C-alpha cells in the first residue's frame, strides 16, 4: 500500500514538471520576412601575385664580397643586398672618366651642327636656284633675238638671190649671206640646247630641295640619338661606380624573387640578378571549372579573405580578367581568373599568400527572403516557426531561389515573423520576443 502511494506521488510530480515545461515561456529572436535582393556567392581558393616586377641588374662587373638577403626576403627601398670586392672601384672610375670625355666630344659636334648651319645650306641652295633662273631668262631673251635675226638673214639671202639673177652681185657675196644664216641657225640651236640643260638642272634642284632638308634633319637627329644613347651609357657607368663603392641596393620595397647571389661569385656587367615583387600593386589569381566560368563576369564584386596570426582580414575586389585559355592543372578543365584589389590598405597581404575568394552574384529583382538557419529540414520538407499571438507555430514553406544564407519564401506574406532560433521551441510553445 505504501509503495502504491509513493508511485502516485512520483507520477504527480512528473506530470506537474511536464506541465510547467509546457507552460514555460521561451525567449526567441525574430526576423521579419521582407523583400530583399539576393546576394549569392561562390567560394574559390586563390593566390596573391604582384602586378609589378622590378628587374634587378648588376650595373658593375666584379666579385661579390658579402650578401645580406636571400630570395623570399622582404626588403625596403635602399636596403643593401650585397657588396663588391673593393678592387673593382678603380676600374669603374677609369671607365666613367673615358665615357664622360666621349660624351663631351659628341656634345661639341652636336652644338656645331646648329640650326644656323642648316639654314646656311638651304640659303646656298636658294642662291643656286636664282642663278639658274637668271641664266634661263637670259637664254630665253637670246633665243628670241636670234630667231628675229634668222628671219632677217633669210630675207637677205632671198634678196641676194634676186640680185644674183640680175648679175648685180657675185656668187661669193650670196654664199657669204647664206653662211651668215647658217651661223645664226647654229647659234639658235646652241641656245636651245643650253636652255634645256639649265632648265633640267633647275627642275632637279627644285625636286631635291625637300630631300636636302630631310637629309639635314636626319643628320641632326642621328647626332642627337647618339648623344642620348651615350648619356644612358654614362648613367650606367655612374651607377656601376656607386654600386662598387656603396653596395647594390634595392630599388623598391617588395619581396626578392629568384635572387641567387653568393659570396665570391663573379658577376658580369649588366647580369640579371632576379627581381623584386612589389607589394604595392597586387592581384589575385584563381581558377574555376570551365562549366562555371560563364557565371564569372568582368567587374563582378569579390570579397578576398586572408587569415594570419592577427585574424581574418577582408578586402574588396572586382573581376579584372577572365582568360579565354583552358588549363588542365587538375583532371577538370579550368580557366584562370584575375582579381583587382580595390582596397589601398593591404595590411599584411603579400605576394605568394593563399586567400579565399568570394565571388558575389547580384540578383537585381527583390524576393521575400528568410534566413537559411531558421529553416528546419524534415523528411525532405522545409519548415519554419512563425511567431503568432505569443505562440510558436510550425509552418511548412515552399522555397524558390536559394543562396548560401537565404531562401526565397513562396507561400507566406511579407511581414510574417519568423523565429530565428527554431531548435529551442516546439509547435504551440509560448514565446517572448527578445532583441
Amino acid at each position: 500500500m505504501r509503495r502504491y502511494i509513493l508511485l502516485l506521488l512520483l507520477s504527480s510530480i512528473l506530470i506537474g514538471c511536464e506541465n510547467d515545461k509546457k507552460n514555460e515561456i521561451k525567449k526567441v529572436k525574430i526576423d521579419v520576412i521582407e523583400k530583399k535582393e539576393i546576394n549569392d556567392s561562390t567560394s574559390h581558393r586563390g593566390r596573391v601575385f604582384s602586378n609589378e616586377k622590378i628587374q634587378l641588374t648588376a650595373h658593375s662587373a666584379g666579385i661579390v664580397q658579402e650578401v645580406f638577403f636571400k630570395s623570399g626576403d622582404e626588403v625596403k627601398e635602399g636596403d643593401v643586398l650585397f657588396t663588391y670586392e673593393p678592387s673593382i672601384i678603380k676600374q669603374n672610375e677609369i671607365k666613367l672618366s673615358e665615357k664622360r670625355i666621349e660624351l663631351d666630344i659628341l656634345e661639341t659636334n652636336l652644338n656645331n651642327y646648329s640650326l644656323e648651319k642648316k639654314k646656311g645650306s638651304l640659303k646656298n641652295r636658294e642662291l643656286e636656284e636664282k642663278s639658274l633662273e637668271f641664266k634661263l631668262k637670259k637664254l630665253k631673251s637670246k633665243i628670241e633675238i636670234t630667231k628675229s635675226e634668222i628671219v632677217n638673214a633669210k630675207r637677205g639671202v632671198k634678196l641676194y638671190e634676186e640680185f644674183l639673177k640680175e648679175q648685180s652681185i657675185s656668187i661669193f657675196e650670196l654664199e657669204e649671206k647664206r653662211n651668215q644664216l647658217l651661223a645664226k641657225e647654229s647659234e639658235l640651236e646652241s641656245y636651245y640646247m643650253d636652255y634645256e640643260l639649265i632648265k633640267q638642272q633647275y627642275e632637279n634642284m627644285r625636286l631635291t630641295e625637300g630631300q636636302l632638308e630631310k637629309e639635314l634633319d636626319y643628320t641632326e637627329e642621328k647626332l642627337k640619338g647618339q648623344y642620348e644613347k651615350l648619356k644612358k651609357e654614362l648613367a650606367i657607368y655612374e651607377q656601376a661606380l656607386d654600386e662598387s663603392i656603396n653596395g647594390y641596393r634595392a630599388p623598391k620595397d617588395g619581396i626578392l624573387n629568384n635572387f641567387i647571389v653568393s659570396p665570391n661569385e663573379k658577376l658580369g656587367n649588366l647580369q640579371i640578378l632576379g627581381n623584386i615583387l612589389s607589394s604595392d600593386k597586387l592581384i589575385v589569381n584563381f581558377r574555376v571549372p570551365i562549366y562555371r566560368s560563364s557565371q564569372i563576369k568582368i567587374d563582378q564584386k569579390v570579397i578576398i579573405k586572408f587569415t594570419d596570426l592577427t585574424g581574418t582580414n577582408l578586402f574588396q575586389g572586382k573581376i579584372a580578367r577572365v582568360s579565354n585559355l583552358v588549363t588542365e592543372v587538375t583532371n577538370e578543365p579550368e580557366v584562370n581568373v584575375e582579381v583587382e584589389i580595390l582596397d589601398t590598405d593591404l595590411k599584411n597581404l603579400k605576394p605568394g599568400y593563399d586567400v579565399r575568394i568570394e565571388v558575389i552574384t547580384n540578383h537585381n529583382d527583390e524576393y521575400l527572403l528568410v534566413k537559411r538557419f531558421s529553416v528546419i529540414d524534415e523528411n525532405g520538407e522545409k519548415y519554419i516557426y512563425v511567431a503568432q499571438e505569443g505562440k510558436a507555430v510550425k509552418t511548412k514553406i515552399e522555397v524558390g531561389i536559394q543562396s548560401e544564407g537565404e531562401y526565397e519564401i513562396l507561400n507566406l506574406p511579407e511581414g510574417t515573423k519568423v523565429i530565428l532560433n527554431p531548435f529551442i521551441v516546439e509547435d504551440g510553445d509560448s514565446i517572448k520576443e527578445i532583441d
Side-chain angles (χ1 to χ4, degrees):
M1 185 68 178
R2 183 180 296 174
R3 180 180 296 175
Y4 179 72
I5 293 172
L6 289 173
L7 287 173
L8 286 175
L9 289 172
L10 182 61
S11 297
S12 298
I13 292 170
L14 290 174
I15 291 169
C17 288
E18 186 68 25
N19 288 334
D20 290 342
K21 186 176 180 181
K22 284 187 177 180
N23 293 328
E24 178 187 357
I25 298 176
K26 305 289 180 66
K27 296 179 180 179
V28 296
K29 291 184 177 182
I30 299 296
D31 188 28
V32 178
I33 296 177
E34 58 184 359
K35 287 186 177 182
K36 302 176 184 175
E37 290 184 1
I38 290 182
N39 285 326
D40 198 2
S41 67
T42 55
S43 181
H44 309 272
R45 181 180 176 182
R47 177 160 291 182
V48 180
F49 292 89
S50 175
N51 201 26
E52 180 184 19
K53 288 185 180 181
I54 300 94
Q55 184 172 279
L56 301 176
T57 305
H59 297 89
S60 174
I63 297 174
V64 176
Q65 187 176 50
E66 289 185 86
V67 180
F68 306 104
F69 294 90
K70 64 182 183 301
S71 191
D73 287 348
E74 186 172 358
V75 295
K76 297 293 183 182
E77 182 177 347
D79 284 347
V80 177
L81 306 185
F82 64 89
T83 57
Y84 287 92
E85 292 284 349
S87 58
I88 194 64
I89 295 176
K90 189 63 178 177
Q91 296 180 35
N92 285 335
E93 287 176 340
I94 293 171
K95 290 178 181 177
L96 179 59
S97 178
E98 292 174 346
K99 193 59 66 173
R100 281 175 175 163
I101 293 172
E102 189 178 346
L103 183 65
D104 288 341
I105 293 172
L106 185 58
E107 186 173 11
T108 301
N109 292 337
L110 181 59
N111 290 335
N112 289 338
Y113 195 86
S114 62
L115 182 61
E116 291 302 321
K117 189 170 184 179
K118 287 175 64 178
K119 286 183 177 179
S121 297
L122 294 173
K123 186 67 176 178
N124 291 337
R125 175 59 65 89
E126 185 179 349
L127 291 174
E128 289 180 24
E129 287 181 7
K130 288 185 176 179
S131 175
L132 291 176
E133 287 177 355
F134 176 76
K135 289 180 180 181
L136 287 173
K137 287 181 180 179
K138 190 175 180 180
L139 281 170
K140 195 171 183 180
S141 177
K142 286 182 177 181
I143 288 171
E144 294 301 321
I145 293 171
T146 305
K147 286 167 68 176
S148 178
E149 290 175 344
I150 289 174
V151 171
N152 292 331
K154 286 181 178 180
R155 289 175 180 170
V157 170
K158 285 184 178 181
L159 184 61
Y160 270 50
E161 288 174 345
E162 293 295 329
F163 288 162
L164 184 61
K165 290 177 182 178
E166 297 174 357
Q167 296 183 352
S168 58
I169 62 170
S170 66
I171 187 66
F172 299 106
E173 290 174 309
L174 176 60
E175 288 300 322
E176 185 179 354
K177 279 291 182 184
R178 286 176 175 170
N179 288 336
Q180 289 175 358
L181 174 61
L182 290 174
K184 287 296 178 181
E185 289 177 339
S186 177
E187 185 179 347
L188 179 62
E189 185 67 26
S190 177
Y191 288 156
Y192 273 128
M193 291 178 62
D194 289 344
Y195 183 87
E196 290 299 324
L197 181 61
I198 294 174
K199 182 181 177 183
Q200 188 65 43
Q201 290 177 351
Y202 178 78
E203 290 176 351
N204 288 341
M205 186 171 288
R206 296 286 293 178
L207 289 172
T208 57
E209 183 177 345
Q211 184 179 351
L212 174 64
E213 292 186 37
K214 289 181 180 178
E215 288 177 357
L216 293 171
D217 289 339
Y218 173 76
T219 302
E220 185 178 22
E221 289 303 317
K222 187 177 179 181
L223 286 172
K224 287 181 179 179
Q226 292 173 351
Y227 179 75
E228 292 300 323
K229 181 182 177 183
L230 206 54
K231 279 177 63 178
K232 291 179 182 178
E233 291 177 1
L234 181 66
I236 291 174
Y237 280 98
E238 289 174 340
Q239 183 70 25
L241 180 60
D242 178 73
E243 288 175 6
S244 60
I245 295 173
N246 302 311
Y248 189 94
R249 288 168 292 189
K252 193 170 184 178
D253 295 357
I255 295 175
L256 288 175
N257 182 53
N258 296 326
F259 180 75
I260 304 174
V261 177
S262 306
N264 301 318
E265 180 180 353
K266 186 177 181 180
L267 299 179
N269 186 37
L270 300 181
Q271 180 175 329
I272 304 300
L273 306 174
N275 52 66
I276 289 180
L277 304 178
S278 172
S279 298
D280 297 335
K281 299 178 181 179
L282 301 180
I283 58 172
V284 179
N285 186 271
F286 69 95
R287 292 191 296 269
V288 295
I290 191 170
Y291 69 88
R292 297 185 66 178
S293 62
S294 60
Q295 302 174 7
I296 307 296
K297 307 294 183 185
I298 300 297
D299 293 331
Q300 202 166 347
K301 183 181 177 183
V302 165
I303 303 296
I304 303 157
K305 297 181 180 180
F306 167 64
T307 303
D308 60 6
L309 295 176
T310 64
T312 299
N313 298 301
L314 301 181
F315 304 95
Q316 300 292 324
K318 67 176 183 178
I319 302 296
R321 187 178 65 87
V322 180
S323 176
N324 293 323
L325 300 178
V326 178
T327 59
E328 293 191 13
V329 178
T330 62
N331 293 330
E332 189 173 33
E334 298 174 314
V335 296
N336 285 311
V337 181
E338 186 178 294
V339 174
E340 177 186 348
I341 303 174
L342 300 178
D343 289 292
T344 54
D345 183 9
L346 301 180
K347 300 181 175 66
N348 297 323
L349 198 62
K350 304 293 181 186
Y353 284 6
D354 290 329
V355 294
R356 296 300 304 181
I357 308 294
E358 299 290 335
V359 181
I360 308 301
T361 303
N362 288 316
H363 296 272
N364 294 326
D365 296 332
E366 291 188 335
Y367 304 89
L368 294 174
L369 300 178
V370 66
K371 294 287 189 295
R372 183 181 281 267
F373 55 75
S374 65
V375 178
I376 299 172
D377 286 306
E378 288 185 4
N379 301 320
E381 303 290 347
K382 289 180 169 48
Y383 297 87
I384 59 172
Y385 281 96
V386 174
Q388 187 175 338
E389 297 179 355
K391 298 289 184 181
V393 180
K394 188 176 183 180
T395 307
K396 183 179 177 181
I397 60 172
E398 298 175 11
V399 299
I401 292 176
Q402 305 176 29
S403 70
E404 285 192 355
E406 295 170 308
Y407 284 117
E408 178 193 9
I409 298 293
L410 300 177
N411 62 326
L412 292 177
E414 186 175 5
T416 301
K417 294 182 177 181
V418 179
I419 296 174
L420 290 178
N421 42 348
F423 296 102
I424 68 169
V425 297
E426 294 181 1
D427 190 26
D429 282 352
S430 297
I431 58 172
K432 179 181 179 181
E433 299 179 16
I434 61 172
D435 294 331

